[in-house]
Amino acid sequence: MDAADLERQARTLSGCIPPPLVARLLELGHEREVESQAAQGEWFCARAWAQLLGERGRQDSAREVLAPYVATGWWPAAQFQAELLESWGQAQEAIALTRPYAQAGDRMALDFVGRLLARHDRGAEAFELLRSGVEDWFLATALVDVAEAAGRDEDAAALLTAWIPADHRCDTPWCSRGGLDADTAVGLLARIRERQGRIDEAIALLRTRRVTSVNGRDQLAELLARHGRIEDLRAYAALDDHGHAAQRLAEVLEERGDLEGAIAVYQHEEVSSTRRYHDPVLLAGLLSRHGRGDEAIAVMRALVDSPGGAEDWIVDTLCTLYAEHGCAQEGLAHLDALKARRDGEEEWDFFRMRLPLMADCGLLDEAIEQARAHHEGDTGYAAWSLSDLLAEAGRTEEAVAVLEQHPASNSPVLAQRLIDLGRINDAVRVLQNRPSAGPVADPWARTYSNEPPF
């Protein structure tokens, strides 16, 4: 084994046995296979087997499993062994194992070791380790997290403030790219001020940012919600085009038992093009959670029937609601209506939504036949859905045969079916024969530009 191959396994999950199937092998009692593969360079088998040995008190054996992986110098192997050591109460050994990686400048190792030190009453040491990397947003985030344990909040705040111009106001989507930009520093500084109890100052800082939403969550909205500033949150939500602040407001009202207030957040006549789809889907989920399935379905039907609303993901959400609330027949009727609107054409992305609804109506055999007869029924992407239907009907051998026609695009599913049939060697062969692309690019090495092509 070598570090490059291990990195490819971890990044692409190709040419190896992925974690869900390792778990399935163990669940079905195939421990010897997992042990054997762990000794042959299968990283996810090695992880699972070492974890299991540790839980059984065989810590020395767990170390032996991981030793050849750690010996390659590959950081994730050292990190996993350190995590096991920490869980076994051997934190100092974990620190000793990983510190050389941090000292060599590996940013992932710096983050891990800094947090590890802070968890074990060595906050000051963690702060000093991370402070030199403050220009890197990733390490700056870790620095802010360990500063509290180190009692160094003001020192961290000073380091961040140096990156924020006195008149800072982010006015371009590119101001959040690259290293520690001013806008990111503002967000981190706001976290420090909040935990110091300087809430108004934290709010004022966040209002200087162009965008406070990351991965669908809004930092300012979260702060206002945590401190019960509902009217401030309501005012902010009214101005937020993304809808993330409105979502947080609705969540808070729902948590407080004000269901009608939460519903009202999503009910308005004019919204931006983004929220036009965002809000009805969230409203339908809210209604469904509170047993108002008919209303939820009505909301989604209105969205689907609106101009431009019959996108596949929206229709899929509606079909899921039909299935969850025992209305599969109505769901099929609605799909028929959509098909008619398309002059009788129904591409696979929409046709596949019929299949679970038909199964719920007791039409499993008919669903299988229709799937086979569909003009895209012999494609690799259709094979997955068809194999699921066949497996549900207890026709697992047929499910395997369908997937074997398209092994390259369905290897994990095919392997799972083979494992369920007890054909372990065949399953492993399918997974390990998956073609892998060339060298895997480092996702942390990306550069950004505001010049086309983007």
Side-chain angles (χ1 to χ4, degrees):
M1 68 185 72
D2 60 61
D5 182 61
L6 294 173
E7 185 72 6
R8 183 176 292 107
Q9 287 187 41
R11 292 264 184 89
T12 70
L13 302 185
S14 65
C16 67
I17 307 174
L21 295 188
V22 175
R24 184 64 174 156
L25 286 169
L26 291 173
E27 179 185 348
L28 295 176
H30 299 291
E31 290 189 0
R32 296 286 74 78
E33 183 66 29
V34 173
E35 180 183 16
S36 173
Q37 293 297 330
Q40 298 176 52
E42 282 284 347
W43 167 239
F44 297 112
C45 287
R47 279 179 56 107
W49 187 236
Q51 177 98 36
L52 191 58
L53 289 172
E55 291 170 356
R56 293 174 176 175
R58 298 174 58 189
Q59 296 173 2
D60 288 342
S61 296
R63 290 170 187 261
E64 291 174 7
V65 170
L66 294 175
Y69 295 87
V70 175
T72 67
W74 187 51
W75 162 247
Q79 177 182 343
F80 184 71
Q81 179 162 326
E83 289 168 350
L84 287 183
L85 289 167
E86 185 183 16
S87 71
W88 300 338
Q90 300 173 29
Q92 299 311 311
E93 188 174 345
I95 292 169
L97 171 66
T98 54
R99 185 187 289 278
Y101 293 85
Q103 291 173 335
D106 186 306
R107 69 201 299 260
M108 304 302 290
L110 281 164
D111 173 82
F112 178 85
V113 175
R115 295 177 187 278
L116 177 62
L117 288 166
R119 284 196 298 273
H120 295 279
D121 302 320
R122 295 167 68 171
E125 193 176 344
F127 189 89
E128 292 304 319
L129 178 70
L130 291 167
R131 69 179 301 161
S132 61
V134 70
E135 74 282 355
D136 180 329
W137 68 268
F138 181 67
L139 297 179
T141 302
L143 179 71
V144 169
D145 290 341
V146 306
E148 184 175 23
R152 304 282 294 275
D153 272 349
E154 281 306 322
D155 289 337
L159 289 169
L160 293 168
T161 301
W163 290 82
I164 307 171
D167 58 349
H168 170 66
R169 185 170 185 83
C170 182
D171 58 2
T172 167
W174 294 100
C175 69
S176 295
R177 305 299 186 185
L180 179 62
D181 59 276
D183 218 40
T184 300
V186 165
L188 293 173
L189 181 57
R191 286 177 50 190
I192 293 175
R193 296 309 181 211
E194 181 188 3
R195 72 185 182 212
Q196 291 177 324
R198 297 158 64 173
I199 309 305
D200 289 334
E201 189 174 342
I203 292 171
L205 280 165
L206 291 175
R207 289 193 186 280
T208 68
R209 300 179 74 188
R210 182 177 186 273
V211 176
T212 62
S213 291
V214 178
N215 295 329
R217 306 306 291 185
D218 186 292
Q219 186 179 354
L220 177 54
E222 297 289 342
L223 186 153
L224 293 171
R226 278 194 296 274
H227 296 279
R229 301 200 176 192
I230 303 305
E231 292 311 311
D232 288 339
L233 178 55
R234 193 184 301 278
Y236 178 47
L239 301 174
D240 175 33
D241 290 338
H242 295 282
H244 301 148
Q247 180 180 353
R248 189 67 189 104
L249 172 61
E251 290 170 351
V252 171
L253 294 173
E254 182 183 8
E255 291 162 4
R256 294 183 171 197
D258 184 4
L259 180 57
E260 295 306 319
I263 291 171
V265 171
Y266 297 128
Q267 291 178 324
H268 36 70
E269 295 182 0
E270 295 185 8
V271 295
S272 70
S273 59
T274 301
R275 293 185 61 185
R276 177 188 171 209
Y277 301 110
H278 184 266
D279 286 11
V281 171
L282 292 173
L283 174 57
L286 173 63
L287 291 165
S288 181
R289 285 195 299 276
H290 291 272
R292 295 164 67 167
D294 290 344
E295 294 175 70
I297 289 171
V299 167
M300 290 305 300
R301 283 195 62 145
L303 180 58
V304 169
D305 293 337
S306 67
E311 298 284 345
D312 55 356
W313 70 275
I314 296 175
V315 177
D316 201 10
T317 301
L318 173 59
C319 288
T320 299
L321 285 172
Y322 276 127
E324 289 175 347
H325 294 280
C327 304
Q329 195 65 55
E330 293 178 44
L332 290 172
H334 197 83
L335 288 174
D336 287 339
L338 289 175
K339 182 178 179 179
R341 282 162 50 181
R342 294 184 169 90
D343 299 323
E345 294 293 327
E346 191 171 49
E347 60 193 62
W348 185 265
D349 277 348
F350 286 91
F351 174 79
R352 66 173 177 78
M353 300 174 199
R354 290 182 174 274
L355 304 178
L357 295 173
M358 292 180 72
D360 287 348
C361 291
L363 303 172
L364 186 54
D365 289 337
E366 290 87 340
I368 292 170
E369 292 310 310
Q370 288 189 25
R372 289 188 187 278
H374 191 276
H375 66 277
E376 296 175 74
D378 61 351
T379 60
Y381 50 83
W384 192 326
S385 298
L386 178 55
S387 76
D388 285 345
L389 291 174
L390 289 164
E392 186 176 347
R395 296 157 61 177
T396 309
E397 292 286 0
E398 291 181 64
V400 167
V402 167
L403 293 168
E404 285 178 332
Q405 296 175 30
H406 308 277
S409 56
N410 292 290
S411 294
V413 186
L414 173 57
Q416 180 169 335
R417 300 282 183 231
L418 291 168
I419 289 171
D420 290 344
L421 288 172
R423 295 168 57 183
I424 308 305
N425 291 337
D426 290 340
V428 170
R429 189 178 306 112
V430 164
L431 292 167
Q432 293 180 337
N433 285 341
R434 291 183 69 188
S436 58
V440 181
D442 182 354
W444 297 104
R446 295 180 62 189
T447 58
Y448 297 89
S449 169
N450 59 3
E451 298 296 330
F454 300 109

